[in-house]
Structures are given as C-alpha cells and as structure tokens.
C-alpha cells in the first residue's frame, strides 16, 4: 500500500549539515518527497507534537532539544513508507541500531538521535497534518 509518513531531521541533524545526505538516502530508497520545510518549534508546539510522551521522565529534555534550533519536517511517500522509514532510521537508541542506518551512522544518544519517523498510520496522519496542510503536499 502506498503510504505517507512524516520524517523530521532534528536540530542535531540540521546542525551537523546532514540534511542533504538524509534526503539523498530517502530518495535512494524509493521515497518521494511530497512536502518539506525548515522551521524552529516553540516549546508549546514541541509539547503538542510529543504529547504521547508527556508523562515520560525525558519529556522536558526532549522538548528543550527539539526547540534548540531549526528542524526539517518532510512528508515522504512510497509503498510501506512507515515501516521502510523506520528501517532506514534504525532503533531509537543508536547503540541498538543496525549498521548502515541513519541513527547508527550519525546519532550521539537515545535523545539526540538525528531523525524522527511516524510509528503508525494513525500517528503519520496526525504528524503530517501537524506541519503541513492539504495544499502543501504535492
Ligand atoms: P523519536 O523517534 O522522535 O520519539 C520520541 C523521542 O524521545 C525519541 O525519538 C528520542 O529523541 C527521545 N527519547 C526516547 N526515549 C528516550 C530516553 N529514554 N531518554 C531520552 N530521550 C528519549
């Protein structure tokens, strides 16, 4: 099934000038870029985006990290986009990530892990519409 998923190049990935490399990886893996932008989240926006984690001990630190600099949200499309993107990203903790994955290659820690990717159809819908409206997605 052709799906859409949301990827975010996080502040650590943008700061390390990895935006181009990561987009290239997506294109090399058959993803189409349907929408893309660069922005800085407010604390409130980051809290809303990660509301599912609001009771977690790392929530405040995650919000601080996600607001420390620009991010690049991207709408990606391909067959099984959600699962395939998660494969390319690797495990949340770079220590557990497979060789060749984005997080294995570039991430410093479980928090500063370079990219985010939607984990289900339901979260993809919420996350895509968090950053983009219908007319932004080509
Ligand atoms: P992401 O895939 O964006 O989803 C939630 C984020 O919270 C995750 O990537 C990490 O950046 C962060 N995170 C998850 N688990 C932990 C943890 N145990 N400690 C700190 N940050 C975490």
């Amino acid at each position: 099934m052709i799906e859409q998923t949301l990827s975010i190049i996080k502040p650590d990935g943008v700061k390390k000038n990895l935006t181009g490399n990561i987009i290239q990886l997506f294109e090399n893996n058959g993803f189409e870029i349907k929408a893309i932008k660069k922005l800085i989240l407010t604390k409130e926006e980051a809290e809303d985006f990660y509301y599912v984690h609001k009771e977690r001990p790392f929530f405040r630190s995650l919000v601080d990290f996600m607001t420390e600099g620009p991010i690049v949200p991207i709408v990606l499309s391909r067959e099984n986009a959600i699962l395939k993107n998660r494969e390319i990203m690797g495990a949340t903790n770079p220590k557990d990530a497979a060789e060749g994955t984005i997080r294995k290659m570039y991430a410093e820690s479980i928090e500063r892990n370079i990219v985010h990717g939607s984990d289900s159809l339901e979260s993809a819908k919420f996350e895509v519409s968090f950053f983009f409206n219908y007319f932004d997605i080509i």
Side-chain angles (χ1 to χ4, degrees):
M1 187 174 62
I2 299 289
E3 295 170 345
Q4 287 183 3
T5 190
L6 185 85
S7 171
I8 303 176
I9 305 175
K10 297 184 179 186
D12 54 341
V14 173
K15 207 177 296 170
K16 289 177 174 172
N17 288 327
L18 293 171
T19 304
N21 280 8
I22 292 170
I23 291 171
Q24 185 74 74
L25 258 174
F26 290 144
E27 290 192 329
N28 288 349
N29 281 277
F31 286 96
E32 189 183 335
I33 309 292
K34 306 286 282 185
I36 184 165
K37 63 168 93 167
K38 188 174 194 178
L39 59 98
I40 300 177
L41 286 172
T42 65
K43 299 271 180 205
E44 257 194 358
E45 288 166 342
E47 286 164 6
D48 289 347
F49 182 79
Y50 278 121
Y51 77 98
V52 290
H53 297 303
K54 67 177 185 300
E55 305 303 335
R56 304 283 192 96
F58 58 81
F59 184 67
R60 282 277 32 111
S61 170
L62 174 62
V63 167
D64 288 346
F65 163 50
M66 288 301 289
T67 55
E68 75 179 30
I71 62 168
V72 177
I74 308 169
V75 180
L76 297 171
S77 168
R78 61 158 277 170
E79 182 115 342
N80 294 324
I82 294 165
L83 194 65
K84 189 70 190 170
N85 182 35
R86 292 179 71 76
E87 268 176 43
I88 293 170
M89 286 193 300
T92 306
N93 190 340
K95 287 181 186 149
D96 303 327
E99 287 301 327
T101 60
I102 294 171
R103 285 164 169 167
K104 182 70 176 187
M105 289 190 286
Y106 303 126
E108 282 165 35
S109 69
I110 191 167
E111 179 174 271
R112 302 180 73 84
N113 63 359
I114 305 283
V115 277
H116 168 80
S118 308
D119 65 3
S120 66
L121 268 177
E122 194 191 357
S123 62
K125 278 202 182 110
F126 165 74
E127 292 176 359
V128 166
S129 64
F130 190 92
F131 290 103
F132 300 96
N133 67 46
Y134 177 83
F135 298 101
D136 295 326
I137 299 167
I138 312 297

